[in-house]
Amino acid sequence: MKWWQHNRNHYYHQHHYNHNSNSSGNSNSASGGGGGGGRVVAAGFVFCLVCFVINGLIAVLYGWLILTPPVSLNERKGLPWLGCQEDNEGSWAIGVFFGQSPFSLKPIETTEMWRNESAAWPVANPVITCASASDSGFPSNFVADPFLYVQGDVFYLFYETKNSFTMQGDIGVAKSIDKGATWQQLGIALDEEWHLSYPYVFNYLGQVYLMPESSQKGELHLYRVTNFPLKWELDRVIMKKPLIDSFIIDHNGEYWLFGSEHSSFGTTNGRLEIWYSSSPLGPWKPHKKNPIYNTYRSFGARNGGRPFRYNGNLYRIGQDCGETYGRRVRIFKVEVLSRVDYKEVEVPFPFEESSKGRNAWNGARYHHLDVQQLKSGEWVGVMDGDRVPSGDSVHRFLLGCASVAAVSGLILFLGVLLGAVNCIIPLNWCADYSGKRSDTLIAWERANVFSSKLRRVFSRLNRVPSFLRSWIKPNTFAGRSVLTLIFALGVALSCTGVTFIYGGSGAEEPYSWKGQFSQFTLLTMTYDARLWNLKMFVNHYSRCASVKEILVVWNKGIPPKVSDLNSAVPVRIRVEDLNSLNNRFKVDPLIKTRAVLELDDDIMMPCDDVERGFMLWRQHPDRIVGFYPRYVDGSRLEYSGEKYARKNKGYNMILTGAAFMDSQVAFERYWSEQAKPGREVVDKYFNCEDVLMNFLYANASSSKTVEYVRPAWAIDTSKLSSAAISRDTNVHYKIRSECLRKFSDMYGSMRGRRWEFDSRKDRWDV
């Protein structure tokens, strides 16, 4: 007898028995189903519900312990309701770039521009974010489409800001008097009842005009300023067409209007049309070749900013929307522009895209550029960027729902194998169901062929459980292994679903301080026996948002090639002549930032923890800010681990194996004549360089010199290797205790210096 025939007979016998028992025991049962079938369904439902709850609890615990919740810049300031909410259109921000030509633009951080002369950190992109507008009282989810208007040495920036309440675009304006290093948010320049974006601002006969996109209104509007830069009035309707991303350019004695018509379904991002006129105020006549383009969205037909002239040539900026909306900008050289013809060719745009992925503010896309030449001859550009592709939040939600659906299927499968689920489809839906059913329903099914076939399919599906149990026996080792695997897979999918739905975009964003971002140099010291550590170290930390460069201090052996390291930022290897721990703090004029993160190559922690430490250091650049606290009792002078500091509810040292410091101040202090005896102790014991740095800081100030940041997690990979000076803890602590005694004699006691945990408002020091 075939397996399905055996299972079918068993299935018939079982359910005939259930039906007969139910009929005799409960004559009032519903005609559509039997009590036995109901109990089968109820038992299976309860089992599935319990399993689903268990998986859910595990997923919630995972989210609580592991996931870093998505935090907007305003939530970090205690204002979760004021803008910067997750938006399906993205999280666009705006950066400033400089170059000697429009084809050599570099981000503002490469110019080492400082907020002021006393600042300890240079400015880095992005310079305007949703938080910039929100903190000024204009709640915004993102800022995009920047256009510059330069008056002398003053920059005015007009941009789209998506209102967090109305969920439509308004036109914001900001002002900078220091070449884009800092920006004052002036307010909303234009707010209509419809969506506005792409605020193309230009001058004509001494009058300033603004031509934003207003395709939602179905018209292209031109506004004239009445009180620059915040008061505007409608001058005229240029065209009764829903044009998007339009600009006007003066060329060969005529004015040309470029735009894409939004009403052409499915071709907007691949469409370009041109009109011409003797005045930017119109009237406008269509180009003979319209539409100029009606092609693939990756072609760059849709405008992506202000056109510019360079070396006598006219260039148009277009958007490549192939992979996602606004993936990148493309530059086209206009060769022919007349009433009867138009030709352009693409030219290379050597813009260096970040390799940091979502941790970079423009890691996923950049779709708008306005570049202009200043009186000095230098070129300045403003560009928007986004760390996530278009529709990312919806995509993640759908993947999360798919994970939850897969968990449900696994739970059902588990119930089938354990015998808790005996039928997949309710019995009264099956062709071989013999319970009571209405005559009307039976007559309808006989007349409906599809219904009969569907009921036969349901019957076959209900034979699957008995077949699976005969194939995978839960009471065998193989069966238990399968059950364990199914349960583990269900837990993994539950955690995956929680990550997709509640875990945010996956970006570990930098933290702004006083509305600005900056960068630091990551410095690590290593040698040939720890090369595998270094490769993992560089691969991970080079993706952190604020890392500008990685400096590897190579103490011993043959150094690797830079090309051997998978890095998203430049790596410099400084080979030392002498194997000394003092090399860690050697004065290095090639370091381009004041902030340096000294980090041992065997410590792995999340980029978010690194970013939190950097933000705290910018608040206190005169202190050592790090992740491993220690407490030195001035009378005891015995080195102990973090547990001793916790026991004494305070700390007065931060290990510089994971700490931020001012490279100029700290390194010069370490290599001063006063520190020479201490450096000799470090060389003698090949240890204690971090202890010495703490004593030098304490000796230089009577106020607080250290700050602690508790990492979410940290892994010490030295435990996996024998190449570590601290692998023998007892010997290591004994040497460091001797260092404490010597440094106390040289530089004074630590007595009276203790700072409590959980003393700051940010609660990062608990």
Side-chain angles (χ1 to χ4, degrees), residues 522-537:
L522 181 60
L523 188 153
T524 189
M525 187 166 62
T526 189
Y527 61 104
D528 51 3
R530 298 163 67 97
L531 182 57
W532 71 276
N533 273 66
L534 180 64
K535 289 183 176 181
M536 184 168 54
F537 178 96

Side-chain angles (χ1 to χ4, degrees), residues 622-623 652 697-706 753 755:
D622 58 333
R623 301 175 187 177
N652 54 16
Y697 261 77
N699 179 260
S701 175
S702 59
S703 60
K704 190 175 184 180
T705 57
V706 291
R753 304 179 72 89
W755 292 278

Side-chain angles (χ1 to χ4, degrees), residues 4-18:
W4 63 267
Q5 291 175 323
H6 169 77
N7 290 335
R8 182 180 183 186
N9 292 339
H10 174 74
Y11 174 82
Y12 285 163
H13 173 77
Q14 177 185 5
H15 293 297
H16 274 294
Y17 174 80
N18 286 340

Side-chain angles (χ1 to χ4, degrees), residues 437-444:
R437 302 169 65 214
S438 67
D439 294 337
T440 304
L441 183 60
I442 293 172
W444 179 81

Side-chain angles (χ1 to χ4, degrees), residues 686-704:
F686 202 76
N687 205 322
C688 306
E689 82 286 358
D690 51 351
V691 178
L692 174 58
M693 181 64 82
N694 276 270
F695 270 88
L696 294 175
Y697 261 77
N699 179 260
S701 175
S702 59
S703 60
K704 190 175 184 180

Side-chain angles (χ1 to χ4, degrees), residues 260-261 263-272 293-295 297 301:
S260 303
E261 189 171 350
S263 60
S264 301
F265 180 76
T267 61
T268 299
N269 294 332
R271 188 178 180 91
L272 178 66
Y293 296 128
N294 192 10
T295 183
R297 58 186 181 181

